[in-house]
Amino acid sequence: MSTFNSRGVWAIYRFEMHRFRRTVWTGLAVPVITTSLYFVVFGSAIGSRMQEVGGVDYGSFIVPGLIMLSLFNESIFNASFAIHMPRFTGTIYELLSAPLSAFETVLGYVGAAATKAVLVALVILGTANLFVDVEVAHPFLMLLFLLLVAVTFCLFGFIVGIWAKGFEQLQIIPLLIVTPLTFLGGAFYSIDMLPEPWRTITLFNPVVYLINGFRWTFFGTADVAAGVSLLVTAGFMLLCLGVIWWIFRTGYRLKA
Amino acid sequence: MQQADAPPVISIRGLEKAYASGHRALNGVDLDIAPGEIFALLGPNGAGKTTLISIVCGLVTASAGAVTVGGHDIVRDYRRARALIGLVPQELHTDAFEPVRSTVAFSRGLFGRPADPKLIERLLRDLSLWDKRDAQIRELSGGMKRRVMIAKALAHEPRVLFLDEPTAGVDVELRRDMWALVRSLRGTGVTIILTTHYIEEAEEMADRVGVISGGELIVVEETAALMRKLGRKELTLHLAAPLAAVPPELADWNLELADDGRALRYRFDARAERTGVPSLLAGLARAGLSFTDLDTRQSSLEDIFVDLVRERRAA
């Protein structure tokens, strides 16, 4: 019975990318400006007092954290908005009546959202290069990690978009959970700089592993082992996949 | 185009739906739809029409029962079942910023069909949307948006088209175009299932009518037969002077005395060749009765439901 509906996936992907193209300037200008502001504030103000972290120039040190911060927010926002919008306008009827499996639906939406998030991350990397020298020790692994984290957070965003009952709720998770965890997860500092017991407590923050894994691909060193980072990321991804599987199985907030 | 002996294109067995709120929208519906027919689901608001359609189209999960479309189970073999179906819901659900042509092309892709600009063009022309092909949907009027939704539903060339309340809040022109479209689709063998709460609409369009009330299909019949059964009219004659009893010379008409003898009531079949109205009026004159006023009333959908439900209970 199952023939993969690749045209359906492609239709969703194109629809979403088209939506992105309509707002491409705001979509790209915002991260570029935000990144520049972070460099002005963190790089210049703090960087002038703190020369380096673990042998890495402070300006360069914050680049992976900065990219991760945007990647999280972009991924969640893109994916949650993409699936929340049809629920809000009612056009979801068409999606539900189409011969698409749950996997194909998610592939279309998450694929497009992750594409956008990775593009924004690369634009931020480019912008960062204007301010500081950024050398990537493992470029291939860097891209792979970028993609892995983008897909994971887009899956998470997809769940948020289905769970949210309105546009306010769409904002709650990124603002109240993800951004604080990112700031406290060593995006702009090494957790080794923290006194105990804060350092140990911080190790319970999953974002620490995501940021440090990514930072490792840049500098070859990080606060936690790269393998552990990968495991945590993969674990979070599996968790999201499990929740999405449950959503489509039960029709939670999709079908009456 | 209707093929009476062909296997049904849609087969519904024991379909039930209880919503999480406890509301029972469907109570064991059985229905077969023949390929190529136009079927009207007639019923008041809240009767279960939209729930029935939504289950067949995959928007709502049934509590019990089974549905096949073109022989494919809608749950186990949902891809093949859904590929055959086009749905135009009752509410206007459209994107805002998408251009008309690309939203219709999107629908075709979503259903797994290869791009076909020629077909999309023909569809848009048929629905008087071609001039608006590059306009964003939000710029369109309500009627135009509904046309876009019809175009989207037809973009993948479905064999079965569901129209949920197609003429609710629709202007005369669109209504006319819609019926023309339904007739031409039927000409190509497409099965059409529409819901309505207007008897006239069912009568005008459908080959068969199913009357649904309280989540149950009360009756399913050929439109003509149903109309004979349901199309009752009532004539009320307001008399100049009250009567104590119906005069014997008027016994043939089964008249009823009403309003304390000040009115005579006559029930007749408006579609019959002889309604008996002219002869009744002549008989009235012969009996020397004069009336001050008269009015006729078509039996309403509510009357019909009450009658049908009573009939069912008695049976």
Side-chain angles (χ1 to χ4, degrees):
Chain A
M1 71 157 247
S2 60
T3 351
F4 186 76
N5 184 355
S6 53
R7 291 195 188 98
V9 176
W10 181 234
I12 295 175
Y13 186 87
R14 272 190 35 175
F15 177 91
E16 284 299 308
M17 293 312 284
H18 187 246
R19 195 163 62 79
F20 181 52
R21 269 204 299 281
R22 274 199 303 264
T23 53
V24 68
W25 292 114
T26 44
L28 290 180
V30 169
V32 169
I33 292 170
T34 315
T35 312
S36 305
L37 284 173
Y38 276 118
F39 271 109
V40 171
V41 175
F42 284 95
S44 306
I46 301 176
S48 60
R49 288 154 189 271
M50 186 160 55
Q51 301 299 308
E52 52 171 55
V53 181
V56 179
D57 168 63
Y58 182 72
S60 309
F61 176 83
I62 65 171
V63 172
L66 214 50
I67 292 176
M68 279 286 128
L69 178 64
S70 288
L71 192 68
F72 296 159
N73 285 325
E74 284 288 323
S75 299
I76 295 175
F77 176 76
N78 288 334
S80 64
F81 194 80
I83 191 64
H84 192 73
M85 205 55 191
R87 287 182 59 219
F88 176 74
T89 60
T91 52
I92 190 124
Y93 83 86
E94 196 177 23
L95 205 62
L96 294 174
S97 69
L100 277 171
S101 68
F103 175 70
E104 287 151 5
T105 308
V106 172
L107 189 64
Y109 280 109
V110 167
T115 306
K116 289 182 242 177
V118 167
L119 280 178
V120 169
L122 293 177
V123 166
I124 291 175
L125 183 60
T127 311
N129 250 314
L130 302 175
F131 292 89
V132 289
D133 276 339
V134 188
E135 275 178 41
V136 184
H138 309 283
F140 179 71
L141 285 176
M142 189 274 281
L143 282 174
L144 197 71
F145 205 80
L146 204 61
L147 203 62
L148 190 66
V149 172
V151 168
T152 303
F153 275 75
C154 286
L155 289 170
F156 181 60
F158 191 88
I159 296 169
V160 172
I162 283 180
W163 162 81
K165 282 187 173 160
F167 286 98
E168 297 84 18
Q169 284 195 344
L170 226 47
Q171 309 278 357
I172 284 178
I173 302 280
L175 283 178
L176 254 52
I177 299 177
V178 178
T179 303
L181 283 184
T182 310
F183 273 84
L184 298 175
F188 302 109
Y189 54 84
S190 162
I191 60 167
D192 288 335
M193 296 155 86
L194 295 174
E196 288 295 352
W198 297 112
R199 188 186 174 278
T200 309
I201 290 173
T202 303
L203 286 175
F204 287 96
N205 177 354
V207 176
V208 167
Y209 300 90
L210 303 180
I211 290 173
N212 276 289
F214 193 53
R215 187 172 284 147
W216 179 86
T217 65
F218 277 72
F219 309 120
T221 60
D223 295 344
V224 294
V228 178
S229 294
L230 205 61
L231 274 178
V232 171
T233 314
F236 188 41
M237 186 190 251
L238 285 177
L239 184 70
C240 292
L241 284 172
V243 173
I244 289 176
W245 176 82
W246 174 83
I247 284 173
F248 278 94
R249 222 184 93 92
T250 60
Y252 172 77
R253 291 203 179 160
L254 282 176
K255 289 187 183 194
Chain B
M1 290 306 284
Q2 194 183 338
Q3 301 147 359
D5 45 353
V9 66
I10 294 183
S11 173
I12 299 172
R13 288 289 170 271
L15 200 62
E16 290 178 24
K17 177 62 190 179
Y19 284 103
S21 60
H23 171 63
R24 292 192 62 82
L26 292 177
N27 280 310
V29 169
D30 296 296
L31 179 64
D32 282 333
I33 307 281
E37 78 170 320
I38 300 182
F39 187 90
L41 262 177
L42 183 65
N45 290 325
K49 302 188 294 284
T50 300
T51 299
L52 184 60
I53 284 191
S54 300
I55 290 175
V56 179
C57 295
L59 310 188
V60 169
T61 312
S63 306
V67 180
T68 62
V69 180
H72 309 294
D73 185 276
I74 58 160
V75 178
R76 273 197 314 277
D77 206 355
Y78 67 93
R79 279 186 207 273
R80 285 196 203 145
R82 290 185 196 170
L84 297 173
I85 299 176
L87 166 66
V88 185
Q90 184 177 350
E91 308 285 333
L92 283 178
H93 296 309
T94 55
D95 291 303
F97 299 100
E98 281 297 298
V100 169
R101 187 160 39 175
S102 58
T103 200
V104 177
F106 165 79
S107 299
R108 187 172 167 85
L110 203 59
F111 278 74
R113 303 296 305 270
D116 187 345
K118 282 253 157 49
L119 179 126
I120 305 286
E121 177 177 346
R122 203 176 64 230
L123 211 49
L124 293 182
R125 285 191 191 279
D126 285 352
L127 285 157
S128 316
L129 285 167
W130 185 243
D131 294 341
K132 301 274 184 194
R133 61 191 177 275
D134 295 321
Q136 291 187 343
I137 301 172
R138 63 177 176 153
E139 298 163 10
L140 304 180
S141 67
M144 282 294 194
K145 282 181 185 152
R146 195 167 284 272
R147 287 171 197 260
V148 171
M149 289 181 66
I150 298 169
K152 281 168 79 73
L154 293 173
H156 66 283
E157 302 162 89
R159 302 306 299 154
V160 180
L161 180 67
F162 282 93
L163 297 165
D164 196 359
E165 299 279 348
T167 54
V170 155
D171 59 46
V172 181
E173 194 189 352
L174 176 53
R175 197 184 151 114
R176 205 175 49 224
D177 285 4
M178 190 114 67
W179 292 149
L181 181 81
V182 165
R183 289 200 180 93
S184 81
L185 280 173
R186 195 248 279 271
T188 63
V190 175
T191 307
I192 292 152
I193 295 143
L194 57 99
T195 72
T196 180
H197 50 263
Y198 301 115
I199 292 184
E200 300 76 26
E201 199 162 275
E203 187 185 359
E204 195 184 329
M205 293 307 304
D207 300 313
R208 281 198 308 154
V209 176
V211 180
I212 188 168
S213 173
E216 288 179 61
L217 262 179
I218 298 174
V219 67
V220 177
E221 217 159 339
E222 304 273 328
T223 309
L226 189 69
M227 287 306 142
R228 270 198 300 281
K229 198 185 267 183
L230 303 184
R232 295 278 162 196
K233 268 195 148 179
E234 196 178 82
L235 168 69
T236 308
L237 295 156
H238 301 277
L239 300 171
L243 285 176
V246 178
E249 53 266 58
L250 298 177
D252 287 352
W253 283 274
N254 268 329
L255 297 177
E256 245 175 66
L257 213 49
D259 200 12
D260 292 332
R262 275 188 287 271
L264 279 171
R265 206 166 273 157
Y266 172 53
R267 288 205 174 80
F268 63 100
D269 180 356
R271 284 167 190 75
E273 229 165 88
R274 293 173 179 277
T275 58
V277 173
S279 57
L280 170 64
L281 294 182
L284 226 55
R286 273 199 304 280
L289 295 174
S290 58
F291 52 90
T292 55
D293 194 8
L294 84 175
D295 56 70
T296 63
R297 193 172 72 93
Q298 174 88 47
S299 41
S300 71
L301 193 52
E302 276 69 31
D303 300 338
I304 291 167
F305 287 127
V306 170
D307 285 352
L308 282 170
V309 171
R310 199 182 291 142
E311 225 171 82
R312 236 168 94 94
R313 292 231 174 93

